[in-house]
Amino acid sequence: MPIEPENSGRGRPPEQNRAIVNGILWRLRCGAPWRDVPPKYGSWNSIYRRCRRWSEAGVWKTVAVTLAEVMADSGHYSIDSRAVRAHVSAAGGKGGLIDALLAARGAGSPVNFIA
């Protein structure tokens, strides 16, 4: 991760990357607001600012490309159908909007979306 001593600038040295990355991953996994990131990962504001700076600098894109290349070279892929989960309501239900849209299409009438 991009924290070189010559680029760190003045002031307090940055926090450990591992804790920051774990905090970012926790936030993305849980979908919680930034302020709810547990203090064991560091200050929520530091985690947010580091994530934003890394996003603007293209660090996450570089990490994703590098991981994809390593996985392709080694032949290891972490795709597993057991990890894909759906909500209970995704199993079926009463219908609703989708049934109305399909019925309208089958009848030859135009489908209108109203927000």
Side-chain angles (χ1 to χ4, degrees):
M1 298 309 244
I3 297 181
E4 293 85 24
E6 63 272 5
N7 293 335
S8 64
R10 296 170 42 166
R12 194 174 77 216
E15 296 180 28
Q16 294 295 321
N17 282 331
R18 184 178 182 104
I20 297 290
V21 170
N22 285 340
I24 292 169
L25 293 175
W26 181 91
R27 193 268 180 188
L28 294 175
R29 183 177 58 247
C30 294
W34 286 106
R35 289 181 186 263
D36 290 344
V37 174
K40 69 180 182 180
Y41 299 121
S43 167
W44 71 267
N45 197 15
S46 298
I47 295 170
Y48 165 74
R49 284 185 289 126
R50 190 85 58 95
C51 180
R52 185 177 43 98
R53 270 190 257 140
W54 286 347
S55 295
E56 291 171 357
V59 172
W60 296 118
K61 182 177 180 180
T62 304
V63 167
V65 168
T66 304
L67 286 174
E69 289 173 353
V70 168
M71 287 172 49
D73 292 342
S74 65
H76 292 89
Y77 297 97
S78 297
I79 299 172
D80 187 359
S81 63
R82 294 177 294 160
V84 178
R85 307 223 179 216
H87 192 268
V88 174
S89 63
K94 291 182 177 179
L97 178 62
I98 192 67
D99 288 341
L101 292 175
L102 291 174
R105 256 197 180 201
S109 59
V111 176
N112 295 326
F113 292 98
I114 299 173

